[in-house]
Structures are given as structure tokens and as C-alpha cells.
Amino acid sequence: MKISVDGVEYEVAEGRTILQALDDVGVLMNGVDIPHYCWHPKLSIDGSCRLCQVEVEGVPKLQIACNTPVAEGMKIHTQSERVQSAREGVMELLLLNHPLDCPICDQAGECKLQDYAFEYGQQHARTQEPRRAAKKRVDLGPTIVFDQERCILCRRCVRFCREVPGTGELSVFSRGDRSVIETFPGQPLANDYSMNVADICPVGALTTKDFRFKIRVWFLEDVPGVCTGCANGCNVYLGVANNRVYRYVPRRNDAVNQTWLCDPGRLSYKRIGADDRIDHAALQNADGIPVAVPLEEAIAAAAERIRNVVATKGAGAVGLLVSPHATNEDLFVARRFLDAIGSTQAGFAVVRGRGDDLLIKEEKAPNASGARALGFEDAAGLLSRTRGGAVEALVVMGHDVLAAPYAESRDALERVDTLVLLDTHRSPLESIAHVVVPVRHAAEKEGTLTNFAGRVQRVQPAVEPPFEALSEGEALWQIAQALGLPGFDDPYDVRAVSKALAQSVPAFAGLDLDSVPPDGAPLAGAGD
Amino acid sequence: MQKAPFVTSYLTEHAGDDAFATLAGYRARGGWEAARKALTQMSPDDVVNLVKDAGLQGRGGAGFGTGMKWSFMPKAADKPKYLVCNADESEPGSFKDRLLLERAPHQMLEGIVIGAWATGASKTFVYVRGEYAQPADVLQRAIDECYAEGLLGSDVMGTGFAHDVVVTRGAGAYICGEETGLLESLEGKKGQPRKKPPFPAQYGAFGMPTTVNNVETFSHVPHIVKNGPAWFKGFGTEKSPGTTIFGVSGLVQRPGLYELPLGTRLDEIVFQHAGGPLPGRKVRGVIPGGMSMPILPVSQLDVPMANEFLRERKTMLGTGGVMVIDDSVCMVRVACVVTYFFRDESCGQCTQCREGTGWLHKIVQRIERGAGSREDIDILLDVCGKMEGQTICAFADAAAWPVQGLLRHFREDFEAHVEHGKCPFPQSFEL
Amino acid sequence: MVISAETRAAIDAEIAKYPKRRGALLPALHLVQKQTGWISPETAQELAAIFEIHPIEVMEVVTFYNMFYDRPQGRHHVYVCTNLPCSLRGARDLLKEIEQHLGIESGETTPDGRITLGHEECLGACAWAPMLRIGAQYHENLDVETAKRLLDELK
Ligand SMILES: Cc1cc2nc3c(=O)[nH]c(=O)nc-3n(C[C@H](O)[C@H](O)[C@H](O)COP(=O)(O)O)c2cc1C
Ligand code: SF4
Ligand code: SF4
Ligand code: SF4
Ligand code: FES
Ligand code: FES
């Protein structure tokens, strides 16, 4: 059906409310400004803040856009004088009990109260009354702190806990202007998704302990990326300043993560700048001790050792244990490496853990589906063949292989002639690897990842590692070059790799780096 | 039990007789015959049309046409339908429903059964305010009698029609009188009014089609069925037929209940029926319909008590709670009591209401203390304007109107406080 | 267990009256309070289990309504109505006298735990002001002496 908003016509779906309909067509706050506090696209309609009032022709009273169903031919005005004055009224009343200390508030810069007050409010509330007494810095649980004086009682946080994780830890107690957000004694806000309440809180009332007062948000650059905590591939913005990632916040993608992140995933940004990053290449000396070497030396040594294995045992004795943390492009290079050298010894290991019905997937890596799509099988076969002596040179990406169910196979890794480790973080594998090459995190490189449902999504460098490191693909490419393998003559270029992937693997058709839309796209043949 | 009205009509004619609260006593006065007539001789639509023709308006405060409201109920019988009898009576100055519960419970129950027949409702929840524990007991006894005598239950009066009545007690929250706040409370939740749509006739109690009517509204119904619309219209005004029970309180000689036709003049109620002011005092102003309704100054009491006339004076009939204020009383103190009440009782969902009620009270308090300014008086009006017509329920309007009324007619009291920094009424009740 | 078997049986009888279980929450809170005087977190948890809701949903209801208490109360509740019609007829003076008589302020409980005193909004007895209620019992047309006598009779 058609509605018109400020004279512009939109084709919208029946059965939606005005805000929902405008959100569906992507113009809400992006062409059509209807400020709103309590409404959130992924939560039930509350209708209480009354900020979203608009004028509907033929209806005498202002109507709240969040709860008013659209009707054929409905004519809506969002900027009329009456609407503006209603907004001003709501803003003034809200600011009454709200401290005007944005400069010291952690939400400053991404506060809807601050924004709207600037646009619609008077700068100072006209009252001399003391604001009501409020609780400050209440610990709601392990992740979240609550400042009552900033709370505007939009109940988004309450609805979130009830409707999304279903844990319902938060509630509004009492009534009238004594209303206050509370938890039940002994039942703190603690669930796998608790930190989302800080994102959806339109003001600075709920903040995460992790990010609180770390850095002013306006210093942060928001770089789109993907969480690598599990196979769901939730879309994030990486908050970056000074070549450091300070946080992940959810990036809305209705096909993947709605507007949410799980807490472990959200905190997994810490892995990027972690102290246990492998920050130098190493070679094992005669005593079995890893010794730091320049990166080129490690690549050369890896190639040299592989060459020897090929010479003595044949190309078939070279194996590749790839990582589901690597990108599709990295894995495609791995595929070509195997083909070029003439081996079929390959597999991937992925750590499994707890999943749920919401976002969290059992596979704790972002690209196991990519590995499968590129023909890699579970590592069990490769490991048993390695133990049996069929593989003598093994390139291992990452250390997922140390976890169950592969852990028993460690002896297989210990017995090979050559173990080349390409990894981001330190692990016991370093001590048995002959060559160690530091690699880039997904937040440090170009590429795509395929989530559990076969959705291909792009990552890009948000930060530069403070040490020399290569992507897994580039490391293999350089080893291949050193080995003189055919097809690796050009210098490594991830875009070229990505084009080749899209051209040669049907599932990835049309999914090269520059063609993948910001919210991703399904593998050919994967349902969306 | 409450004292019976000083002036009675058809609703309260027998209210002075304690036996009227029992089934035997009620039957002795012809009780339950109207229900028998409706259930055996009339179709549900006949009943709806009859009540429409009679022009009965709801007595819970909003004055909506009862027959019209009943006709909104879906006809389909695919899911259960409910009636709710609103016995939350918490509007300050209102105490008539308590009388009807305590002294005429069968009259109301008979109205409920007729309403149930008309709307196809299988169950009625009577939501009684928590403080009315004793009226609720009386009502429960009456209900028990009805079940024992086959007037309620699976086969009402042998007609095959089934109807149950459940009494639910509230727990002290004025907002549960608002019909959707009531529905939430009935469902075991906080009594926070629902946003509309959906409306109760589609999605009411427990998600089922529901009609909410006031205790007194139901109580008129048997009389209409028994005597017909023409008879009913013989009482009251053309647009507002019937009687209502005015509750007169405050500073008059004979506070109490008076059942009078709608359209009875306010000055007649105050000066004749209720005996006028206390010795040596003068009436200053009268709140005509419960605390939510704007006050009228003594010069404007020559108004018939019916909405079509009261509206011209920017006020309404509300619940018919007539509060009389005399010349000893400071209207700023009245404003303090009024704004305290609405601040206390706001459910707290809507921004304008939650924040506005608090602000009104704080400013009025400051003016009362003598610390206010002229600007404060304007801010009061400005805040009222921001609260009106913009919230989930009419509570915010109800909180703004009385303040607007006081400032419309008694601004001088506020100005005196501001000018002199103290209260000019030495005899006024203290806060 | 806080909730007695007897109270539990009464709650179950209430539940049977409603199309959805939760409809009986307010009746249940009244019943439990009759037994225990107030709703402790422990009680809230037991009720939550009966009604298959989160305990916090019980507490949000308790804190919303005036007549449910989230802390221990005196043996008797005495509430003076101070709304306008009652105030016009002396309710506030009555409340002050009672405060003095009991030596506590509105909102407090006597040290011996005998009486919790409060003031309330209109109780529907406006013509018979001033008035107070002791528990469910209304006392209307009061003068100070009668009121004091009523209070002194409370055990
Ligand atoms: C704040 C507020 C309080 C109300 N309180 C009551 C009440 O105590 N009793 C009542 O019958 N109606 C009350 N109403 C009106 C009800 O919402 C509803 O209109 C009424 O119960 C319908 O019954 P009627 O059509 O028979 O009047 C209140 C309305 C508002 C906005
Ligand atoms: S804490 Fe934030 S999200 Fe929760 S009600 Fe308050 S303002 Fe809304
Ligand atoms: S569900 Fe998975 S992808 Fe999403 S935030 Fe959590 S760990 Fe990251
Ligand atoms: S107007 Fe007031 S009482 Fe009514 S829903 Fe809004 S906040 Fe609650
Ligand atoms: S966004 Fe519509 S009322 Fe809050
Ligand atoms: S004002 Fe006290 S009972 Fe109504």
C-alpha cells in the first residue's frame, strides 16, 4: 500500500506501523526524521515515551508513529509545528530530571537525549526544583553499570531481557516518578547477551564495565567488520582509535544478528591486541628451542623443509591443516597450493562449544562453512593419516587442533618431519613447530568469511598489527613462490585471489571482495 | 455499610433496607424479573438496541453510550468474550459505587447478566478496588446466592445461557480504574494502561473481546429493560437521560449521596439538597464530578449537571462527585492536594505524565511555600498543555484539567502567594 | 517454604477462576500477605514458581500497588485518608494528632511493631470525613478522641 510522509510517497507493507514501515523501506532517520526512544525495531512496541508523535491527516490528535498502523493513502506529517511542539514538550519534561552534564557522561556522543535535546529541546529546563534523588553507579551484574539519574524509563532494557534472551532480569519497580529499574535480589543481570542493553539504552544510563570511560566515542572510528567468535558471523563495528580496537558494537543485519551480539563475542575484540599474539617469526634450533628470525627467513626455511620432504617422500607427503579462522581467500590459496604441489592431504579443525537458539553457534570459528565450501574435510582423516606416516610436512594454521576432539592426535603432529605453524596467538604448538609465521587477525586484513548459513561477509583491515605479519593466504603464497610452484608468479594480491575464487569456484560466483554487499550475500546454492 | 442516600430514585429506592442486599429481599422488590424477561423474551440484539434507545451513558466518568459500546463486541462465538464490571471507584470525591455494591449488589448482578446476554459474554470479572474489602465480601455473598439459585452458572434461570461472575480485588492503585489499566491488573500485572490499538472489544481481558462498564452503569440496566426507554428518558435531560447518584462532600451542611436526575442544577444540589455552606461560611467553588474535573466558581453553579451543559463551562460530570469548597480554603492548598494525588497515582509509563505530574506538584508546593514567582504560574499552565491529549490514557489529562480549572477561576490565590510570600487564608486546612 | 499448605490451597482455588494462571496473582498476593504480613524475596520466589513467571515480575507488581508490602509491617495498618474532601473536614489535623499519639510519623511503624501508620488517597467515604481504615475496617465521621480510643484498643 501507499502512504505519504511529508509529501513523499512510499510503498509499504500492510499490517505494519508507521515506524516499522519506514524502517522496512530504510528511510527512518535516514530521510524521514521521527525521533523515538522506546521503540526499537527488534523489540515489542511500548508506546510510552510519546516522542514519536506525528500528525495523520484526518485524525484530530497527534498519533504515535510506533504503534499506529499504516493505512492506504495515509498522509503523515512529521515536521509540522504541532509535531515539533509536542517533541519539545517531551524533551523538556525528560530533561527535568536529567543531569545536564554531558561532558562527563560516558554516553556523550552517542546519546539520543543529547542529540534530540539539541534538535528539539530548549537548552535548559526552566525549573529550579532539585532533581529527584537517584542511585548512581549501581552494579547490575558482571557486565553492566546503571546510573538512574540518566534513565528515561523507555523500558528497552526490560523488554530486551524478557524478549531476547528470555532471562528477564530487569524490571521497573514502583510507579509514577518513583519508577526505577531494578534487579531481583540475588539475580543480577547476567546472561550471554547482557551487554546489548548498553547499546539499546538511548541515554547513558546503562554502560558496559568493559568500555566505561575508556575513551570518548567521538575519537573512535567505526569500521565495519564481522565477529570471529563463532560461526554465526555477527556483524560488528570495530571501534578504532590509535591503531587499537576498543570495542565491538553490533552492526544491524537482519539476516544474521538483528541488532545483537553475544557477550563473549563482543569481548572477543580483545583477542586482536592481546598480549599473547605471536609477534615474530621463529625457527626451531638444534635444541628444539624456537628462536626469533626475520619473517622472510622463516618463509624461506619453511619452503626449504617442504622441498626436502617432497624430494624424499614425494609431494603427496605434504599436508595442509587449514583454519576456519582464515578467510575464504586464504583457504582458496591453500586449495591452489595443494593442487599446485600435487597433494590431497588436507583438512580443517574447529573448536566446538555451547550453542543456543539465538545467535551463538557451536563452531567457535567464523569460517568453517567456507572451509567446507572449498572442499576441506574435518581434520580427523588427515590426522590419522599423518599418524600413520603418510604426511611428513604439515602446514598448520591456528591451534584449534589442540582442542577436543583432535587433542589426542597431538602425537601425530609431533612425529612429522616438518611442522610449519601459521598462527595469530601463542599456544603449545609453537614448541613443536619447526617454523612459526605470525599471521593477521580477521580485523587486520581484507577478505570474506562464510557464516554457518553460507552467508559470505566481508572483513577489512581496521588496525595494522604492530609487528610484521601475513595473512595465511599470503604466507602460503610466499612459500609457494619460494618453492617455485606454478601459478604463484605474481606478487600476492588479495583482490586478484578473490576474483579467481569467484570465477573458479561456482559457490562463490559473484562474491569477490568488491561485489559482496555490506550486509553479505549467500553462497550460490545456500538459502538465505 | 454506607448510609443510604438522602434523596433516592429508582436505583436507591430500597437501598435503606438491609434486606435489599440479599437475594430474597431483592426478589421481594421485583428483582431478577428484568433478566428473566431479557433472556426469555429478547434477542441479544434487542437488548443492545433497547439500551441504545434508552440513551444510557456510562457512569464511570467518560459518559460513553453503553448500547453503542455493547454493539462493538464481535458477534462471532469463536472465542470466549468477557465483561468487566469496573468497581475500582478511586476518583477522589466518589463513593456511589461503594453504596451500590454494599446495598444493592443484586441490582448490579442482574444488570451484568443482561449485559452478558446482550454481548454473548461467558464471564464477568468484577474488579473491586482493594480497599473495598467489605463491599467485595457483600458482593461475593450475593454471587454465592445467585449460584445457589441458578441465577448464575451453567444454566442461568433454566435458559441454557451460561454465565460466571468472578470478583477480583485490586490492591491500591487509582490507575486501575482506567479500563486498560484494569485489564492489565486483572491479568496479574502492574496496572499500566495499554496503548491502543488494539481496543478491548477486540483484545481485552486475557486477550479476549471485552467490554468494561461501571457498577452504576450496570445497575441502571434492569430498570431500562423492565420499564423501557421512554420511561428512562423521563428522567434527566434530552441528551443525558436517567438519574445518577451524586456524592456531595466537603464543606456543606449535609454531605452524602443524592440520587437525582441528570441535569439537576449544581446550585440546587449544593444549596438545597446538601444544605449549603457551614454556618458563617460562603461557598467559593465546587468541583462538580470528582477530582479530575475542573472546578467551578460559585458564580457558575447555575448549571445543569449534564455534560452538554457542563462542557460549556469547561468541565464535566465525571463521576458526579461534588466537592464543595468554602471561603476559608486556599485554592493553592487545594492545588497541592490535587497535584500530590496525581503525582502519587501516575502509573509512570508516559513521559509527559510521569514527569509532568511530578513537576506540577513541585511547582505548586513552591508557590504554596511562598517561594514561587509569577513565571511559575505560567509554567504550570504550560506544563498542563504539554500533558494534555498526548498520552496512553486520559490520566494525564485528568491531572492537568483540575490545575487549569483552579488557575482559570482562582488565579488570584496563586498570585497572592507569589506576591506576599505566604498564604492569605489563615483558616485554611494545613497541609 | 513460606507459603502454608492452607494458603496454597486457597491460591489454587483462585487460579481455577481465571483463563490464565497469572490472573490469580493479585488474589494470591492478598492471600499470602494475610498469612505473612509482607512479601519477602523468598515469598516472591515461591509465588513465581507457582505462577511460572520470573520472581522479579512478582516484585514489580508488589512495588506498584499500595496494598502490597516489600518490607515487614506492623500488626495493624492504620491509614488516614488525606485526600481533598477529607482534608477539607479535618483529616490532616486528625493525622497529626494520631502521629503525636503514637509517637511516629506517617509511613512508620511503632517500635513495638503494633501499628504501621499511613495516609491514603480517597477511600470512598468522602461524605463521612474524616475517616481512617484499620485493615479492612472503615471508621467514619471520626473525631480525635474516638480515633485515639480505636487505636488504643488495637493489640
Ligand atoms: C485515570 C482514570 C481512572 C478511571 N477510574 C475509573 C473508576 O474508578 N471507575 C470507573 O468505573 N471508571 C473509571 N474510569 C473510566 C474507565 O476507563 C471506563 O471508561 C469506564 O469504566 C467505562 O465504563 P462506563 O462506560 O460504564 O462508564 C477511569 C478512567 C481514567 C482515565
Ligand atoms: S536504563 Fe536505559 S534502556 Fe533501560 S529504561 Fe532506562 S533509559 Fe531505557
Ligand atoms: S554469536 Fe558468535 S559471531 Fe555473534 S557475537 Fe557471539 S561469538 Fe560473535
Ligand atoms: S497517562 Fe499517565 S497514567 Fe496513563 S498510561 Fe500514561 S503514565 Fe500511565
Ligand atoms: S517511540 Fe513511539 S512512543 Fe516511544
Ligand atoms: S477523600 Fe477521604 S474518603 Fe474520599
Side-chain angles (χ1 to χ4, degrees):
Chain A
M1 60 174 56
K2 279 198 171 56
I3 60 169
S4 110
V5 182
D6 301 328
V8 182
E9 276 207 352
Y10 298 96
E11 182 68 38
V12 299
E14 212 179 309
R16 305 288 278 168
T17 69
I18 297 172
L19 280 194
Q20 286 170 337
L22 294 174
D23 182 54
D24 291 345
V25 297
V27 295
L28 183 60
M29 303 323 268
N30 180 23
V32 180
D33 283 359
I34 304 177
H36 53 274
Y37 283 132
C38 64
W39 184 80
H40 185 279
K42 300 298 171 189
L43 299 175
S44 64
I45 298 171
D46 200 68
S48 63
C49 76
R50 316 304 290 179
L51 184 59
C52 68
Q53 297 182 93
V54 294
E55 211 169 314
V56 177
E57 277 185 26
V59 185
K61 275 191 184 182
L62 295 180
Q63 299 292 306
I64 49 170
C66 61
N67 191 52
T68 304
V70 291
E72 180 63 49
M74 192 182 236
K75 289 196 171 58
I76 299 155
H77 300 281
T78 73
Q79 307 299 325
S80 67
E81 213 168 291
R82 269 173 77 208
V83 171
Q84 299 283 8
S85 106
R87 281 177 196 159
E88 275 167 31
V90 173
M91 289 308 303
E92 184 174 11
L93 288 165
L94 273 178
L95 289 169
L96 271 184
N97 277 299
H98 195 96
L100 291 171
D101 56 357
C102 304
I104 63 158
C105 172
D106 201 39
Q107 193 79 359
E110 50 190 13
C111 173
K112 291 270 171 297
L113 192 61
Q114 196 184 30
D115 296 353
Y116 295 166
F118 187 72
E119 265 179 73
Y120 307 105
Q122 292 169 322
Q123 294 305 301
H124 296 281
R126 291 170 300 156
T127 176
Q128 319 152 18
E129 302 304 331
R131 285 190 299 269
R132 61 173 165 254
K135 299 190 215 169
K136 284 194 167 198
R137 282 179 284 283
V138 181
D139 222 333
L140 289 187
T143 58
I144 296 289
V145 177
F146 174 56
D147 271 325
Q148 191 197 345
E149 59 178 3
R150 298 182 201 280
C151 173
I152 58 165
L153 290 161
C154 70
R155 302 191 288 200
R156 280 181 172 195
C157 55
V158 175
R159 282 175 284 145
F160 174 83
C161 291
R162 288 184 187 180
E163 296 166 15
V164 181
T167 42
E169 293 98 330
L170 298 180
S171 175
V172 179
F173 277 20
S174 196
R175 68 180 189 222
D177 66 353
R178 284 87 60 218
S179 301
V180 57
I181 296 288
E182 289 278 359
T183 53
F184 189 80
Q187 299 187 1
L189 171 60
N191 63 65
D192 287 336
Y193 297 88
S194 68
M195 293 165 86
N196 290 291
V197 299
D199 304 323
I200 59 175
C201 179
V203 293
L206 297 172
T207 44
T208 67
K209 288 184 189 171
D210 183 59
F211 185 68
R212 211 173 141 82
F213 300 120
K214 245 200 222 163
I215 186 171
R216 297 311 239 162
V217 290
W218 53 79
F219 293 123
L220 291 181
E221 185 195 353
D222 282 336
V223 182
V226 172
C227 172
T228 56
C230 81
N232 203 57
C234 295
N235 291 201
V236 299
Y237 283 113
L238 299 87
V240 177
N242 315 318
N243 197 34
R244 183 177 150 197
V245 180
Y246 282 86
R247 64 172 185 184
Y248 284 169
V249 289
R251 177 163 60 95
R252 179 171 173 182
N253 186 333
D254 291 353
V256 178
N257 55 307
Q258 315 289 315
T259 50
W260 319 126
L261 293 180
C262 79
D263 287 359
R266 180 188 300 259
L267 292 173
S268 69
Y269 79 88
K270 295 185 177 183
R271 302 284 290 147
I272 301 166
D275 289 343
D276 64 343
R277 283 294 294 271
I278 296 178
D279 57 4
H280 59 267
L283 291 180
Q284 206 175 60
N285 70 11
D287 302 325
I289 313 263
V291 180
V293 296
L295 191 57
E296 311 79 67
E297 210 172 294
I299 296 287
E304 183 57 34
R305 294 186 73 117
I306 292 169
R307 195 190 325 274
N308 287 338
V309 170
V310 173
T312 53
K313 308 277 171 156
V318 179
L320 228 50
L321 178 56
V322 302
S323 167
H325 290 276
T327 61
N328 294 316
E329 290 70 20
D330 294 327
L331 297 176
F332 180 60
V333 173
R335 207 47 299 152
R336 283 180 52 178
F337 182 95
L338 285 164
D339 293 348
I341 209 167
S343 168
T344 57
Q345 296 292 7
F348 74 96
V350 61
V351 174
R352 279 163 210 282
R354 192 173 50 87
D356 65 17
D357 309 336
L358 204 53
L359 300 178
I360 302 174
K361 298 292 174 289
E362 285 176 9
E363 290 186 342
K364 301 299 169 198
N367 202 26
S369 294
R372 287 190 195 96
L374 285 159
F376 292 96
E377 293 168 354
D378 185 83
L382 173 66
L383 288 167
S384 92
R385 294 192 295 278
T386 305
R387 186 183 297 108
V391 175
E392 281 302 345
L394 193 59
V395 180
V396 178
M397 298 180 186
H399 54 267
D400 284 5
V401 69
L402 292 177
Y406 317 102
E408 295 151 28
S409 314
R410 182 155 166 185
D411 57 334
L413 305 179
E414 277 167 357
R415 63 151 293 285
V416 293
D417 173 85
T418 291
L419 189 86
V420 178
L421 176 65
L422 314 181
D423 205 357
T424 48
H425 293 81
R426 313 201 53 162
S427 78
L429 270 191
E430 280 177 276
S431 62
I432 56 171
H434 303 101
V435 182
V436 179
V437 176
V439 303
R440 289 171 178 257
H441 186 276
E444 297 162 343
K445 63 186 175 186
E446 292 283 3
T448 59
L449 299 166
T450 310
N451 86 343
F452 79 102
R455 191 177 194 84
V456 176
Q457 311 190 100
R458 204 178 145 183
V459 293
Q460 58 185 305
V463 289
E464 196 39 39
F467 45 83
E468 241 189 320
L470 303 171
S471 69
E472 290 92 333
E474 185 167 13
L476 276 181
W477 189 280
Q478 291 187 5
I479 293 170
Q481 280 184 329
L483 286 169
L485 295 181
F488 292 90
D489 307 327
D490 297 333
Y492 180 75
D493 172 5
V494 70
R495 285 205 148 56
V497 170
S498 150
K499 285 223 164 57
L501 165 64
Q503 274 159 18
S504 59
V505 182
F508 287 88
L511 294 175
D512 62 283
L513 265 180
D514 295 316
S515 308
V516 175
D519 60 345
L523 286 175
D528 195 12
Chain B
M1 277 227 251
Q2 206 172 186
K3 233 188 270 172
F6 295 128
V7 177
T8 66
S9 184
Y10 56 87
L11 284 178
T12 56
E13 195 181 346
H14 307 295
D17 174 4
D18 287 357
F20 197 64
T22 67
L23 180 52
Y26 184 62
R27 273 186 160 152
R29 306 285 188 181
W32 285 102
E33 285 313 311
R36 182 175 304 282
K37 178 177 168 191
L39 268 64
T40 57
Q41 296 169 30
M42 298 173 76
S43 74
D45 281 349
D46 289 345
V47 178
V48 171
N49 290 330
L50 185 80
V51 173
K52 258 192 206 164
D53 288 348
L56 174 63
Q57 293 166 349
R59 299 292 198 255
F64 197 83
T66 304
M68 178 73 91
K69 198 188 265 190
W70 289 2
S71 71
F72 293 157
M73 283 285 264
K75 294 266 179 291
D78 54 338
K79 46 186 165 185
K81 288 178 263 182
Y82 301 128
L83 287 186
V84 168
C85 175
N86 190 341
D88 192 58
E89 190 167 65
S90 311
E91 176 76 12
S94 315
F95 45 104
K96 64 183 175 74
D97 294 344
R98 177 178 160 213
L99 174 95
L100 293 172
L101 290 167
E102 285 181 339
R103 293 189 164 270
H106 283 281
Q107 177 175 269
M108 179 190 89
L109 288 169
E110 188 179 6
I112 285 174
V113 168
I114 296 168
W117 173 247
T119 54
S122 58
K123 200 177 247 200
T124 296
F125 299 97
V126 186
Y127 185 93
V128 185
R129 66 177 295 186
E131 296 87 347
Y132 283 1
Q134 293 184 329
D137 285 346
V138 176
L139 175 62
Q140 188 60 55
R141 277 200 296 280
I143 291 170
D144 294 345
E145 287 179 308
C146 288
Y147 274 102
E149 294 285 317
L151 298 169
L152 287 173
S154 54
D155 183 13
V156 175
M157 299 181 178
T159 60
F161 179 64
H163 195 70
D164 288 311
V165 176
V166 172
V167 177
T168 304
R169 276 180 62 212
Y174 167 70
I175 194 56
C176 295
E178 195 280 339
E179 61 181 7
T180 59
L182 188 160
L183 295 176
E184 286 288 295
S185 184
L186 188 60
E187 293 185 5
K189 301 175 190 157
K190 298 192 278 188
Q192 295 191 312
R194 296 176 180 172
K195 60 192 182 319
K196 291 130 216 145
F199 292 91
Q202 291 101 49
Y203 190 92
F206 304 98
M208 299 303 160
T210 301
T211 294
V212 183
N213 280 120
N214 169 259
V215 171
E216 185 192 323
T217 310
F218 280 121
S219 302
H220 284 280
V221 169
H223 299 280
I224 293 172
V225 169
K226 203 184 311 174
N227 302 306
W231 169 86
F232 187 70
K233 286 177 165 163
F235 299 88
T237 68
E238 192 192 331
K239 290 192 173 137
S240 304
T243 63
T244 196
I245 309 172
F246 294 103
V248 183
S249 64
L251 298 168
V252 282
Q253 303 267 7
R254 279 210 309 167
L257 292 162
Y258 298 85
E259 184 184 354
L260 295 163
L262 286 171
T264 305
R265 272 173 46 161
L266 182 53
D267 49 7
E268 182 189 330
I269 297 174
V270 172
F271 291 99
Q272 291 179 28
H273 295 299
L278 301 180
R281 303 266 186 85
K282 289 201 186 82
V283 173
R284 243 192 126 199
V286 175
I287 299 175
M291 190 173 261
S292 307
M293 297 305 148
I295 193 169
L296 288 172
V298 67
S299 59
Q300 294 194 23
L301 304 186
D302 55 340
V303 60
M305 289 290 278
N307 277 331
E308 65 269 29
F309 301 101
L310 287 161
R311 260 195 217 105
E312 289 172 10
R313 309 216 170 166
K314 297 196 154 110
T315 188
M316 291 214 313
L317 179 67
T319 59
V322 174
M323 295 181 252
V324 182
I325 296 164
D326 73 16
D327 57 354
S328 72
V329 175
C330 170
M331 292 298 177
V332 179
R333 297 227 169 125
V334 170
C336 275
V337 177
V338 170
T339 53
Y340 175 89
F341 170 75
F342 286 105
R343 180 186 190 178
D344 195 22
E345 297 290 353
S346 164
C347 90
Q349 301 184 88
C350 310
T351 305
Q352 295 96 323
C353 179
R354 178 184 66 242
E355 307 294 334
T357 51
W359 205 9
L360 288 181
H361 181 236
K362 285 185 199 170
I363 296 172
V364 170
Q365 270 184 311
R366 183 170 59 214
I367 294 173
E368 201 279 328
R369 280 200 314 271
S373 65
R374 275 183 177 275
E375 201 204 351
D376 283 331
I377 301 176
D378 295 330
I379 294 179
L380 281 178
L381 286 172
D382 186 51
V383 173
C384 288
K386 292 188 159 92
M387 293 169 66
E388 241 185 309
Q390 294 193 16
T391 49
I392 291 178
C393 83
F395 178 101
D397 307 65
W401 289 333
V403 175
Q404 289 169 332
L406 286 165
L407 283 166
R408 186 153 54 236
H409 300 300
F410 299 97
R411 195 181 170 109
E412 70 267 19
D413 287 17
F414 294 78
E415 286 173 344
H417 273 256
V418 167
E419 308 274 282
H420 310 301
K422 61 178 200 302
C423 181
F425 291 83
Q427 282 182 293
S428 188
F429 68 89
E430 300 273 339
L431 289 169
Chain C
M1 287 293 276
V2 176
I3 300 173
S4 69
E6 198 189 343
T7 304
R8 178 61 208 259
I11 291 174
D12 287 340
E14 286 296 328
I15 288 174
K17 297 181 185 172
Y18 294 87
K20 289 183 187 161
R21 230 179 152 71
R22 187 165 174 175
L25 181 57
L26 265 63
L29 285 164
H30 280 301
L31 286 165
V32 174
Q33 260 189 191
K34 209 159 105 190
Q35 183 206 321
T36 62
W38 67 296
I39 306 296
S40 67
E42 200 187 345
T43 314
Q45 267 168 319
E46 287 180 26
L47 281 167
I50 294 172
F51 286 95
E52 295 160 9
I53 55 181
H54 296 295
I56 197 164
E57 294 177 84
V58 176
M59 280 327 280
E60 72 184 24
V61 167
V62 168
T63 60
F64 185 86
Y65 294 94
N66 295 348
M67 295 176 76
F68 297 137
Y69 310 104
D70 65 354
R71 59 207 59 187
Q73 301 290 303
R75 287 194 295 287
H76 303 278
H77 275 124
V78 174
Y79 285 112
V80 179
C81 168
T82 53
N83 208 294
L84 186 60
C86 282
S87 285
L88 290 169
R89 296 188 78 100
R92 287 171 193 256
D93 293 334
L94 177 70
L95 178 62
K96 279 172 203 150
E97 295 279 351
I98 292 176
E99 286 179 331
Q100 266 182 4
H101 186 65
L102 294 177
I104 55 171
E105 285 188 14
S106 175
E108 295 177 348
T109 301
T110 53
D112 58 1
R114 197 167 61 96
I115 292 174
T116 298
L117 177 66
H119 60 275
E120 264 181 346
E121 301 302 352
C122 177
L123 290 166
C126 322
W128 333 115
M131 61 83 67
L132 55 75
R133 73 173 174 98
I134 301 174
Q137 185 69 46
Y138 279 24
H139 299 274
E140 300 168 334
N141 290 316
L142 283 176
D143 54 56
V144 172
E145 289 319 308
T146 317
K148 284 183 185 166
R149 207 189 58 241
L150 284 169
L151 300 187
D152 292 343
E153 283 166 8
L154 296 174
K155 290 277 164 310

